[in-house]
Amino acid sequence: MELLRTKNLKVYFTQKKEVIKAVDGVDLFLKKGITTSLAGESGCGKTTLARAILGFYKPDEGEIYFENEDIIKKENITLVRENIQIVFQNPFLSLDPRYTVFSTLYEALSVFRDINKSRAESIIEKALGEVELDKDLMYRYPHQLSGGQLQRVCIARSLINKPPLVILDEPTSSLDVTTAGTIINLLAKLQEKRQITFFYISHNIKLIGKISHFCFIMYRGKIVEYGPKDLVYNNPLHPYTKLLKKAAHQELKSIPQEEMMQLEGCPFYSRCSSRMARCEKEPVSIELEPEHFVCCHLYS
Ligand code: SF4
């Protein structure tokens, strides 16, 4: 069962009279109760896509459905706020330094209901327990917590109203390796326990191999490969996915702006060692194994 689907989604920006196609005709779906990942290097459009789902950007074209409701419509913005939450990359910037952990979570809790502080205290205590934080941290300020503890507070905030969908936008990339590992384990436990639908965005395909059930690979605003994680991660077919996997232990360079502005042909053309004359025409997605789709002329 699908929780969310985008259809031919396009989000364009204009910079110095040039059009940047940040998201360019994306068809993506999130199945209920599993973790779906979106991988690609910085600048490929993945955060723009997440922000369009949250209503921060108005798409230039296309549709976004949450449980069959068109959430691009202005009147459905409450539906988005009630059902979709996000955890950002940097917990230090995501929390108000003037708020204690209690105030941050109480504010989130009070958005949709009237709740007195003593009732809130017991809900917040439970929420902290779920993210494996001691209740004694409840009246601390962000500067009194470590990076890992802050990200756990952000995760608790995203879950406190029990939304069915949580977007995780590079939630471990500002943390050290050990802390990042503990956050990944926590997310996996929460996912298993509560069957939350997670949409996990990352430049790191290795992480995606660990945490997701299904994944999409994005390059220059387009989906180039997608399918069950075991197929995409263990048997990558698109030349870009192969490159991502090969370079998993190092940071790939961001996609240059000039490349984002190229209009015709395969989006990976300029970097692909397998390119052929027909790659000057844009390939279409083909199903090569059950549910495993690849957008490349090598297979057409
Ligand atoms: Fe490479 Fe051509 Fe496939 Fe694009 S379509 S990834 S250029 S082989």
Side-chain angles (χ1 to χ4, degrees), residues 238-240 266-269 272 274-276 279 283 295-298:
H238 193 282
Y240 177 59
C266 169
F268 195 54
Y269 184 86
C272 183
S274 310
R275 66 176 174 248
M276 318 162 255
C279 302
C295 194
C296 172
H297 284 302
L298 284 174

Side-chain angles (χ1 to χ4, degrees), residues 22 67 87 181 212 219 234 293:
E67 298 228 296
V87 175
S212 56
Y219 186 74
N234 296 330
F293 288 78

Side-chain angles (χ1 to χ4, degrees), residues 89-147:
Q89 183 172 346
N90 192 333
F92 298 94
L93 302 177
S94 306
L95 296 169
D96 189 326
R98 299 164 305 169
Y99 279 28
T100 61
V101 172
F102 176 84
S103 312
T104 295
L105 298 183
Y106 182 59
E107 189 187 44
L109 203 52
S110 316
V111 172
F112 301 116
R113 52 182 156 162
D114 274 340
I115 188 157
N116 67 45
K117 290 203 171 176
S118 68
R119 171 87 185 105
E121 204 166 72
S122 77
I123 297 174
I124 289 169
E125 187 180 321
K126 205 169 155 211
L128 293 179
E130 270 209 303
V131 297
E132 298 167 0
L133 282 179
D134 198 291
K135 66 176 185 319
D136 293 347
L137 302 181
M138 204 187 293
Y139 290 100
R140 295 223 184 136
Y141 288 90
H143 72 271
Q144 297 171 305
L145 301 175
S146 68

